[in-house]
Structure formats: structure tokens, C-alpha cells
Amino acid sequence: GSPFSVRPVSPAPPVIPVFCMLAVVFLRGYWRDFTPARHIFADSAMLYWHFVDIVWVGLYLLLYLT
């Protein structure tokens, strides 16, 4: 299809793993599995979420505003 029909679903592939990671972080937080020394998965999920967000904003600026 045209690029305009593909763009609305293009953020879905990287966002689906982020929601899964955040669900795991929520569950592990609920189970009090994180400690000051053991929280690398939560940090990794947060950094990946911000990476996806920055890439999405960059693509938005590149594709929609040019």
C-alpha cells in the first residue's frame, strides 16, 4: 500500500516488546523482586522505552513534516 496506510501501524513492532517489558517490571515490582543492587531489567526497560520514543519522534519529524 501507500506510505500513508503503513505509517499508522509502523510504531507497533517496537512498542509491543516495550509493553511486555513494562508488564514484567510491574510484576517484579509488585513481587518486591527489585533491590537497590538488582534493578538492571527495570533500567533496561526504561532506556529501551526512551530509545523507541526518540526514534519515533525523529521518524515523525522526518516523514510527516518534510
Side-chain angles (χ1 to χ4, degrees), residues 1-65:
S2 75
F4 290 104
S5 63
V6 175
R7 286 185 198 169
V9 295
S10 62
V15 171
I16 292 169
V18 169
F19 284 138
C20 294
M21 291 171 74
L22 292 177
V24 170
V25 168
F26 175 78
L27 287 173
R28 287 184 63 187
Y30 181 76
W31 295 330
R32 300 187 189 279
D33 193 31
F34 292 121
T35 65
R38 290 188 55 210
H39 61 277
I40 190 72
F41 186 79
D43 286 344
S44 300
M46 175 195 62
L47 289 173
Y48 184 67
W49 174 253
H50 288 298
F51 170 74
V52 168
D53 187 36
I54 290 169
V55 169
W56 187 85
V57 168
L59 286 174
Y60 176 80
L61 292 172
L62 180 72
L63 296 175
Y64 284 103
L65 299 180

